Amino acid sequence: MQQLVAELQEAGIGHVRLNEPLAGHTTWKIGGPADLMIIPESDGELAAALTLLNRHDVPWCALGRGSNTLVSDKGVRGAVIKLGDGFDDVRFDGETVSAGASYSFIKLSVMSGKEGLTGLEFAGGIPGTVGGAVYMNAGAHGSDISRILQSADIIWEDGSRAVLGKDEMEFSYRHSILHERKGIVTRAVFRLANGDRKEIAAALASFKDRRLRTQPLQMACAGSVFRNPPNDHAARLIEAAGLKGLREGAAEVSQLHANFIVNHGGAKAEDVLTLIRRVQLTIEQTYGIVLVPEVLLLGER
């Protein structure tokens, strides 16, 4: 690892940190240390970092703002890549908007609305980055990334680069090609439409108000824990089964929204995983439905 660190530093690749605690990089405020964290500031730095990791046979994973992610208490062996401020930008050109992968998805929806562009209102309450949203085909309120994406710039694990159109991204419910082939989104271009600024602002405000009233966003959480099963909602099933308020250590099934697990302070990843398994078991035994986690599990088990 020391040799790899030396080569990364010699290549001038962003920031390189050893044994970086990850709890401060996730919205759940949970997670042990990463052996190595790399924060590149450009496509060139990212490609060089991936090439070196591949050459040294060091496993890696990507981390955005840490929403929708549960990091193991033991941390992550290998490297964690977190895109730096060099990927935090947005450009508007007519009805298209191009955003760097570390740009806030919520901020993108707000800025697009101010430009009089409609199509991103659904993103107004989705935490995380543009890159993470593309990776998981994030969606809400009947829309998702697949409806508006024009193209995505990707750097694959061998350091090669590609620009994929919407159809090439193989989108489905909370899924993209990046679940099958390892790479990192560096930029996304969205095709929007001209709209009324006041109507867009009203829709954003309505969605935001609804989320604040119905979701425990003032607490450490990671968004929806489970995918919605066909023709139903995970939250409805969990609430109907009487599981709101179910606790494991400092982790609790939210009493405000049943598809959220909140950290009351000091919760461990194992607490959250135990709650996830208890909820899954109860729902399967009660309704015969297997709930599939939406959160990404990272690190050593």
Side-chain angles (χ1 to χ4, degrees):
M1 187 67 76
Q2 291 296 336
Q3 179 61 35
L4 171 60
V5 170
E7 292 181 27
L8 288 167
Q9 292 174 334
E10 184 178 343
I13 296 172
H15 303 284
V16 179
R17 304 173 184 172
L18 287 167
N19 300 313
E20 177 72 8
L22 295 178
H25 295 277
T26 70
T27 59
W28 243 327
K29 305 303 179 187
I30 291 173
D35 289 343
L36 180 65
M37 176 172 274
I38 304 170
I39 307 177
E41 297 292 346
S42 68
D43 283 16
E45 288 185 12
L46 174 59
L50 290 173
T51 299
L52 285 171
L53 289 168
N54 189 44
R55 183 181 303 162
H56 285 266
D57 199 27
V58 172
W60 62 269
C61 61
L63 184 66
R65 298 196 174 200
S67 60
N68 207 55
T69 303
L70 180 63
V71 176
S72 163
D73 298 318
K74 296 180 180 179
V76 177
R77 305 288 71 80
V80 170
I81 298 174
K82 184 171 182 175
L83 300 184
D85 292 342
F87 298 90
D88 186 18
D89 69 292
V90 64
R91 308 166 194 159
F92 292 95
D93 183 11
E95 295 184 349
T96 63
V97 53
S98 170
S102 66
Y103 198 78
S104 163
F105 199 38
I106 290 176
K107 186 177 180 181
L108 181 65
S109 70
V110 173
M111 296 301 293
S112 297
K114 289 182 177 180
E115 292 287 326
L117 296 174
T118 183
L120 265 167
E121 290 88 334
F122 75 91
I126 299 178
T129 62
V130 167
V134 173
Y135 171 83
M136 68 170 294
N137 188 23
H141 307 296
S143 190
D144 59 28
I145 286 286
S146 70
R147 295 174 183 244
I148 57 171
L149 184 83
Q150 180 171 299
S151 64
D153 292 8
I154 297 171
I155 298 182
W156 300 113
E157 61 181 330
D158 62 359
S160 62
R161 310 183 192 195
V163 179
L164 299 189
K166 178 176 68 175
D167 293 339
E168 296 172 289
M169 288 298 296
E170 299 180 9
F171 286 127
S172 59
Y173 180 63
R174 303 298 177 264
H175 180 275
S176 74
I177 191 175
L178 294 165
H179 288 76
E180 315 299 336
R181 184 179 178 188
K182 203 169 184 183
I184 295 178
V185 175
T186 60
R187 176 166 293 278
V189 179
F190 302 99
R191 169 68 66 175
L192 305 178
N194 289 315
D196 183 276
R197 285 178 172 82
K198 291 183 179 179
E199 291 180 2
I200 296 168
L204 285 169
S206 175
F207 291 158
K208 180 180 179 180
D209 177 68
R210 179 181 173 186
R211 284 180 179 266
L212 288 173
R213 285 187 290 104
T214 62
Q215 298 178 5
L217 302 180
Q218 294 77 22
M219 303 185 70
C221 61
S224 295
V225 174
F226 299 102
R227 298 182 180 184
N228 287 325
N231 305 313
D232 210 335
H233 291 87
R236 188 198 71 79
L237 293 168
I238 298 167
E239 182 171 356
L243 297 178
K244 274 187 171 181
L246 184 67
R247 288 189 68 140
E248 185 71 32
E252 179 188 47
V253 175
S254 171
Q255 300 191 48
L256 186 60
H257 192 303
N259 199 16
F260 280 62
I261 291 176
V262 298
N263 176 5
H264 282 280
K268 303 295 185 184
E270 281 304 313
D271 296 333
V272 175
L273 285 172
T274 298
L275 269 187
I276 287 174
R277 296 185 192 110
R278 290 172 68 184
V279 169
Q280 286 176 308
L281 181 61
T282 299
I283 298 305
E284 185 173 9
Q285 291 177 338
T286 305
Y287 303 107
I289 295 173
V290 177
L291 290 181
V292 178
E294 184 173 303
V295 294
L296 178 67
L297 306 178
L298 293 183
E300 182 182 355
R301 297 285 165 225

